[in-house]
Amino acid sequence: MLELADLYYFCGLLATARFCQHALTAMNAASRIAIGIIALSAWIAQAEAPRFASDRLERIAARVGVEDSAEIELRGIGRVPLRVDSDTVTGEIRHIGVRVFSERQRKMAPSPVYDFLERYTLEALLPGEHEKPLEKQLMEDDLEFSELDLHGIALMSLDSVEQPATITCLGGRRYRVEWPYAKGRSRAVDFPVNHRLLLGQDMDELERRLVAKLQAHADALGGPLLDGRHADIWEGRRSAAHTEDTILAKILDANPHAIVTMLAYGGNKIIEIPLSWLLHCLDAEGCVPSASSILCDNPNTVKLLILENHPSLGYCHSVRVEADTAALATGEGMVKVRLVPYLPMSKVENLFYENQVEN
């Protein structure tokens, strides 16, 4: 028979258990709230963290920050104003450099030269250790000066009077930037039209970022897309003299998926995306499509070569398209694409004189 003392003891255990249960529930709720706050804070921090158009810009930002018009200390110069440009939609940091060129000149005559010289000057004259001595870096990058050096370029940022520059492309191989200062005399710098130098990225990074862009376009775009600049290739030119344009138009009209094999230094990459999305992505990069050429012509298979040129940066993408025309006619076909990215423009002409067509 249950005695009174046992009843008290049992009730005490029950009360203790209920108390522990409520305490545990409260603790779990508090823990969940704490974890949620931590996760939210991490998400906000990640959302607020700036994205950069290149690894180099991210390294520069770690040293100087990303505040536009802030003043920074340069070796042998003192404090000069900083320029930071970002994408108005995505917030991605596109440029960090010494504020040398005016907004007026940038708008009147757009050129990749502005960002390159401002960024190069900033990075070269930052205090602290550098991977290479400045003289060796200038020699490797093939920069040549006339009555000028990087310190002189940086000092222009402190001049209250605008000093407009004249930019000339010498045979598509070198840029020359001149600042006239007296009758018949000017200060100048010239350097190669080299995409890696101008963009501040090596081939591994260029290819990595291109793959990311292609995949992002495939994820973001929700339907068929023909960019206007590609339409210009064949619109109004459907004639016997431009048979390749008609063929390309028919291929794109079918909006086929493409198995893209990108030949890369770090190993070939294979991406499956609609062909029109691939061309749009290259257009968004600033490339201008040139007229395509027929590499092989038979009743069932056609191979085209499309060149995506970026003359101001000195590179070209080679896009070879192989299509089964019979399969495309049924709406079930796919195309094979061989993408060779970032070819120097000086080598592009060799593409037209190959003795054989690769399968």
Side-chain angles (χ1 to χ4, degrees):
M1 183 176 180
L2 186 64
E3 296 184 357
L4 186 60
D6 295 328
L7 182 61
Y8 287 156
Y9 178 72
F10 176 77
C11 290
L13 289 176
L14 182 61
T16 301
R18 287 180 176 175
F19 172 79
C20 292
Q21 182 181 10
H22 287 304
L24 183 61
T25 301
M27 184 179 68
N28 288 341
S31 299
R32 287 195 295 270
I33 293 173
I35 292 172
I37 292 174
I38 293 172
L40 180 61
S41 300
W43 180 84
I44 292 174
Q46 183 178 8
E48 292 179 346
R51 295 170 52 241
F52 297 89
S54 71
D55 298 344
R56 184 179 298 273
L57 289 178
E58 188 169 6
R59 292 193 297 268
I60 294 174
R63 300 179 65 180
V64 304
V66 291
E67 182 182 352
D68 189 34
S69 298
E71 291 191 346
I72 46 118
E73 188 80 20
L74 296 185
R75 290 184 297 177
I77 300 294
R79 302 188 70 79
V80 298
L82 188 70
R83 181 195 302 277
V84 179
D85 294 334
S86 60
D87 188 284
T88 56
V89 177
T90 65
E92 180 182 67
I93 303 298
R94 297 291 182 86
H95 171 58
I96 304 175
V98 177
R99 188 176 287 272
V100 175
F101 299 97
S102 69
E103 297 294 343
R104 179 173 175 271
Q105 175 157 6
R106 282 173 166 267
K107 291 179 180 178
M108 288 184 62
S111 171
V113 165
Y114 307 130
D115 286 357
F116 163 68
L117 269 183
E118 290 186 345
R119 185 194 70 242
Y120 195 95
T121 301
L122 170 65
E123 191 173 23
L125 300 183
L126 279 174
E129 295 184 3
H130 291 256
E131 184 179 348
K132 300 175 184 177
L134 179 57
E135 294 76 12
K136 183 177 181 180
Q137 189 68 60
L138 292 173
M139 183 175 63
E140 289 183 359
D141 294 334
D142 197 12
L143 270 72
E144 297 181 356
F145 295 89
S146 174
E147 299 188 47
L148 188 65
D149 58 16
L150 289 178
H151 290 84
I153 293 177
L155 284 170
M156 293 180 191
S157 66
L158 301 175
D159 199 326
S160 58
V161 179
E162 179 183 346
Q163 300 186 46
T166 300
I167 300 174
T168 308
C169 188
L170 307 174
R173 295 180 179 272
R174 294 185 71 84
Y175 278 117
R176 183 172 179 84
V177 186
E178 296 181 89
W179 289 269
Y181 71 93
K183 186 176 181 180
R185 303 191 66 178
S186 62
R187 301 179 178 90
V189 57
D190 67 81
F191 43 87
V193 181
N194 181 298
H195 55 284
R196 288 173 293 176
L197 178 65
L198 295 170
L199 295 173
Q201 301 177 47
D202 60 21
M203 281 300 296
D204 287 339
E205 181 180 354
L206 287 168
E207 290 169 350
R208 167 170 56 84
R209 289 181 177 272
L210 178 57
V211 169
K213 288 175 184 177
L214 292 175
Q215 292 174 335
H217 275 69
D219 293 338
L221 299 176
L225 175 65
L226 293 180
D227 189 275
R229 283 183 288 179
H230 281 95
D232 289 341
I233 297 177
W234 57 80
E235 283 300 327
R237 298 170 55 195
R238 298 174 186 269
S239 64
H242 300 97
T243 306
E244 68 273 13
D245 297 337
T246 303
I247 294 172
L248 180 58
K250 289 180 178 178
I251 293 173
L252 286 170
D253 285 343
N255 194 34
H257 270 66
I259 300 177
V260 180
T261 300
M262 190 177 93
L263 277 62
Y265 282 89
N268 294 351
K269 312 292 184 184
I270 298 179
I271 310 166
E272 184 176 330
I273 54 175
L275 177 61
S276 55
W277 294 0
L278 166 63
L279 299 181
H280 169 78
C281 182
L282 299 182
D283 272 1
E285 193 179 75
C287 294
V288 178
S290 69
S292 54
S293 302
I294 297 177
L295 301 179
C296 179
D297 190 10
N298 63 58
N300 298 316
T301 304
V302 64
K303 295 182 180 181
L304 303 177
L305 171 63
I306 307 169
L307 295 181
E308 294 279 347
N309 301 323
H310 205 314
S312 63
L313 289 175
Y315 72 82
C316 169
H317 297 305
S318 167
V319 183
R320 294 193 179 194
V321 181
E322 178 182 342
D324 183 331
T325 53
L328 287 175
T330 65
E332 299 177 353
M334 295 188 68
V335 296
K336 296 179 181 178
V337 175
R338 193 188 75 159
L339 171 63
V340 185
Y342 301 108
L343 291 168
M345 290 289 292
S346 59
K347 297 181 180 180
V348 168
E349 61 268 19
N350 296 331
L351 295 173
F352 295 100
Y353 300 102
E354 296 180 353
N355 295 324
Q356 60 182 4
V357 177
E358 296 186 18
N359 295 324

